Amino acid sequence: MDESADALTGTDRVKADAARRGIAVEIVERPAADSLDGAARLLGLSPGDIVKSLVVKRHDGDFLFALIPGDRQISWPKLRALVGVNKLSMPHQDVALEATGYERGTITPLGSTTAWPVYVDASLEGRVALGAGAHGHSAFVDAAELAKGLDATVADISDPLPPRD
């Protein structure tokens, strides 16, 4: 992102970056949600149609984005093998904010202050919602268009969530 991006709001950064990449995006306002399931209900989606944009720290200090369906979890062994490293971790939310310019719950690769590599789970398809750079907003995009526009690596990088008690 260029320095003029600093003056833009999070949603403006998302819109500008999506337009630059040729990705059609619709940003909608929504009431606050206390969980991913709650956000899905508010948006009329299934949890699998909500994308978790995870900031992952590499052992060398760089980062990457892992985009995972809301009803799945990141598979560390699969992602490590794909990236070709033996250590990855989830950074503290303050570190993720510094790496992306977005707070937890608003994170998206679109408009990130640094264009980190993006890995998209192969099970993401169709119209999905993800963080829009600001609380109380969601960005709707086509998953294949998002992956193409971000020049993402698409692969199996997730596992089903364990059953709830």
Side-chain angles (χ1 to χ4, degrees), residues 97-111:
L97 171 62
E98 186 176 321
T100 66
Y102 293 128
E103 294 179 14
R104 182 185 285 170
T106 72
I107 293 174
T108 173
L110 293 171

PDB file of all heavy atoms in Angstrom, residues 97-111:
ATOM      1  N   LEU A  97      -1.980  -6.780  14.269  1.00  0.00           N
ATOM      2  CA  LEU A  97      -2.368  -5.408  13.927  1.00  0.00           C
ATOM      3  C   LEU A  97      -1.204  -4.670  13.273  1.00  0.00           C
ATOM      4  O   LEU A  97      -1.361  -4.021  12.231  1.00  0.00           O
ATOM      5  CB  LEU A  97      -2.848  -4.657  15.176  1.00  0.00           C
ATOM      6  CG  LEU A  97      -3.092  -3.154  15.025  1.00  0.00           C
ATOM      7  CD1 LEU A  97      -4.179  -2.857  14.005  1.00  0.00           C
ATOM      8  CD2 LEU A  97      -3.463  -2.548  16.386  1.00  0.00           C
ATOM      9  N   GLU A  98      -0.026  -4.798  13.862  1.00  0.00           N
ATOM     10  CA  GLU A  98       1.152  -4.131  13.298  1.00  0.00           C
ATOM     11  C   GLU A  98       1.494  -4.676  11.916  1.00  0.00           C
ATOM     12  O   GLU A  98       1.892  -3.938  11.017  1.00  0.00           O
ATOM     13  CB  GLU A  98       2.342  -4.315  14.244  1.00  0.00           C
ATOM     14  CG  GLU A  98       3.565  -3.540  13.824  1.00  0.00           C
ATOM     15  CD  GLU A  98       4.691  -3.668  14.830  1.00  0.00           C
ATOM     16  OE1 GLU A  98       4.423  -3.671  16.045  1.00  0.00           O
ATOM     17  OE2 GLU A  98       5.851  -3.779  14.386  1.00  0.00           O
ATOM     18  N   ALA A  99       1.298  -5.982  11.702  1.00  0.00           N
ATOM     19  CA  ALA A  99       1.648  -6.620  10.430  1.00  0.00           C
ATOM     20  C   ALA A  99       0.659  -6.313   9.315  1.00  0.00           C
ATOM     21  O   ALA A  99       1.028  -6.347   8.135  1.00  0.00           O
ATOM     22  CB  ALA A  99       1.739  -8.135  10.621  1.00  0.00           C
ATOM     23  N   THR A 100      -0.598  -6.003   9.674  1.00  0.00           N
ATOM     24  CA  THR A 100      -1.645  -5.839   8.659  1.00  0.00           C
ATOM     25  C   THR A 100      -2.317  -4.473   8.656  1.00  0.00           C
ATOM     26  O   THR A 100      -2.935  -4.095   7.667  1.00  0.00           O
ATOM     27  CB  THR A 100      -2.761  -6.885   8.852  1.00  0.00           C
ATOM     28  OG1 THR A 100      -3.439  -6.630  10.091  1.00  0.00           O
ATOM     29  CG2 THR A 100      -2.214  -8.304   8.829  1.00  0.00           C
ATOM     30  N   GLY A 101      -2.282  -3.794   9.789  1.00  0.00           N
ATOM     31  CA  GLY A 101      -3.024  -2.548   9.916  1.00  0.00           C
ATOM     32  C   GLY A 101      -4.477  -2.763  10.305  1.00  0.00           C
ATOM     33  O   GLY A 101      -5.254  -1.812  10.359  1.00  0.00           O
ATOM     34  N   TYR A 102      -4.849  -4.010  10.603  1.00  0.00           N
ATOM     35  CA  TYR A 102      -6.225  -4.342  10.965  1.00  0.00           C
ATOM     36  C   TYR A 102      -6.287  -4.991  12.346  1.00  0.00           C
ATOM     37  O   TYR A 102      -5.439  -5.823  12.687  1.00  0.00           O
ATOM     38  CB  TYR A 102      -6.843  -5.327   9.959  1.00  0.00           C
ATOM     39  CG  TYR A 102      -7.043  -4.766   8.574  1.00  0.00           C
ATOM     40  CD1 TYR A 102      -6.549  -5.445   7.469  1.00  0.00           C
ATOM     41  CD2 TYR A 102      -7.747  -3.587   8.359  1.00  0.00           C
ATOM     42  CE1 TYR A 102      -6.755  -4.962   6.179  1.00  0.00           C
ATOM     43  CE2 TYR A 102      -7.951  -3.101   7.084  1.00  0.00           C
ATOM     44  CZ  TYR A 102      -7.453  -3.792   6.003  1.00  0.00           C
ATOM     45  OH  TYR A 102      -7.657  -3.313   4.731  1.00  0.00           O
ATOM     46  N   GLU A 103      -7.335  -4.654  13.105  1.00  0.00           N
ATOM     47  CA  GLU A 103      -7.572  -5.288  14.400  1.00  0.00           C
ATOM     48  C   GLU A 103      -8.178  -6.676  14.206  1.00  0.00           C
ATOM     49  O   GLU A 103      -8.817  -6.954  13.197  1.00  0.00           O
ATOM     50  CB  GLU A 103      -8.568  -4.447  15.221  1.00  0.00           C
ATOM     51  CG  GLU A 103      -8.046  -3.101  15.624  1.00  0.00           C
ATOM     52  CD  GLU A 103      -9.071  -2.304  16.410  1.00  0.00           C
ATOM     53  OE1 GLU A 103     -10.077  -2.878  16.869  1.00  0.00           O
ATOM     54  OE2 GLU A 103      -8.859  -1.096  16.556  1.00  0.00           O
ATOM     55  N   ARG A 104      -8.008  -7.521  15.213  1.00  0.00           N
ATOM     56  CA  ARG A 104      -8.633  -8.846  15.202  1.00  0.00           C
ATOM     57  C   ARG A 104     -10.133  -8.668  14.976  1.00  0.00           C
ATOM     58  O   ARG A 104     -10.749  -7.773  15.528  1.00  0.00           O
ATOM     59  CB  ARG A 104      -8.387  -9.570  16.513  1.00  0.00           C
ATOM     60  CG  ARG A 104      -8.984 -10.983  16.519  1.00  0.00           C
ATOM     61  CD  ARG A 104      -8.834 -11.645  17.845  1.00  0.00           C
ATOM     62  NE  ARG A 104      -7.442 -12.054  18.011  1.00  0.00           N
ATOM     63  CZ  ARG A 104      -6.952 -12.500  19.146  1.00  0.00           C
ATOM     64  NH1 ARG A 104      -7.695 -12.558  20.225  1.00  0.00           N
ATOM     65  NH2 ARG A 104      -5.696 -12.865  19.226  1.00  0.00           N
ATOM     66  N   GLY A 105     -10.700  -9.516  14.139  1.00  0.00           N
ATOM     67  CA  GLY A 105     -12.123  -9.433  13.821  1.00  0.00           C
ATOM     68  C   GLY A 105     -12.409  -8.587  12.589  1.00  0.00           C
ATOM     69  O   GLY A 105     -13.527  -8.571  12.095  1.00  0.00           O
ATOM     70  N   THR A 106     -11.388  -7.879  12.095  1.00  0.00           N
ATOM     71  CA  THR A 106     -11.555  -7.055  10.892  1.00  0.00           C
ATOM     72  C   THR A 106     -10.536  -7.429   9.819  1.00  0.00           C
ATOM     73  O   THR A 106     -10.539  -6.885   8.731  1.00  0.00           O
ATOM     74  CB  THR A 106     -11.383  -5.551  11.208  1.00  0.00           C
ATOM     75  OG1 THR A 106     -10.006  -5.267  11.466  1.00  0.00           O
ATOM     76  CG2 THR A 106     -12.236  -5.123  12.388  1.00  0.00           C
ATOM     77  N   ILE A 107      -9.653  -8.378  10.140  1.00  0.00           N
ATOM     78  CA  ILE A 107      -8.509  -8.697   9.281  1.00  0.00           C
ATOM     79  C   ILE A 107      -8.943  -9.280   7.945  1.00  0.00           C
ATOM     80  O   ILE A 107      -9.837 -10.126   7.878  1.00  0.00           O
ATOM     81  CB  ILE A 107      -7.543  -9.655  10.015  1.00  0.00           C
ATOM     82  CG1 ILE A 107      -6.906  -8.933  11.201  1.00  0.00           C
ATOM     83  CG2 ILE A 107      -6.470 -10.191   9.074  1.00  0.00           C
ATOM     84  CD1 ILE A 107      -6.038  -9.810  12.080  1.00  0.00           C
ATOM     85  N   THR A 108      -8.260  -8.815   6.910  1.00  0.00           N
ATOM     86  CA  THR A 108      -8.426  -9.299   5.545  1.00  0.00           C
ATOM     87  C   THR A 108      -7.117  -9.031   4.803  1.00  0.00           C
ATOM     88  O   THR A 108      -6.416  -8.066   5.139  1.00  0.00           O
ATOM     89  CB  THR A 108      -9.595  -8.573   4.832  1.00  0.00           C
ATOM     90  OG1 THR A 108      -9.619  -8.957   3.461  1.00  0.00           O
ATOM     91  CG2 THR A 108      -9.487  -7.069   4.939  1.00  0.00           C
ATOM     92  N   PRO A 109      -6.782  -9.849   3.820  1.00  0.00           N
ATOM     93  CA  PRO A 109      -5.596  -9.521   3.027  1.00  0.00           C
ATOM     94  C   PRO A 109      -5.816  -8.278   2.161  1.00  0.00           C
ATOM     95  O   PRO A 109      -4.860  -7.610   1.781  1.00  0.00           O
ATOM     96  CB  PRO A 109      -5.378 -10.745   2.146  1.00  0.00           C
ATOM     97  CG  PRO A 109      -6.350 -11.770   2.564  1.00  0.00           C
ATOM     98  CD  PRO A 109      -7.326 -11.155   3.489  1.00  0.00           C
ATOM     99  N   LEU A 110      -7.074  -7.965   1.844  1.00  0.00           N
ATOM    100  CA  LEU A 110      -7.378  -6.800   1.004  1.00  0.00           C
ATOM    101  C   LEU A 110      -7.083  -5.520   1.772  1.00  0.00           C
ATOM    102  O   LEU A 110      -7.660  -5.267   2.822  1.00  0.00           O
ATOM    103  CB  LEU A 110      -8.842  -6.822   0.565  1.00  0.00           C
ATOM    104  CG  LEU A 110      -9.236  -7.954  -0.381  1.00  0.00           C
ATOM    105  CD1 LEU A 110     -10.739  -8.002  -0.557  1.00  0.00           C
ATOM    106  CD2 LEU A 110      -8.522  -7.790  -1.721  1.00  0.00           C
ATOM    107  N   GLY A 111      -6.165  -4.741   1.260  1.00  0.00           N
ATOM    108  CA  GLY A 111      -5.831  -3.475   1.902  1.00  0.00           C
ATOM    109  C   GLY A 111      -4.867  -3.590   3.064  1.00  0.00           C
ATOM    110  O   GLY A 111      -4.614  -2.607   3.752  1.00  0.00           O
TER     111      GLY A 111
END
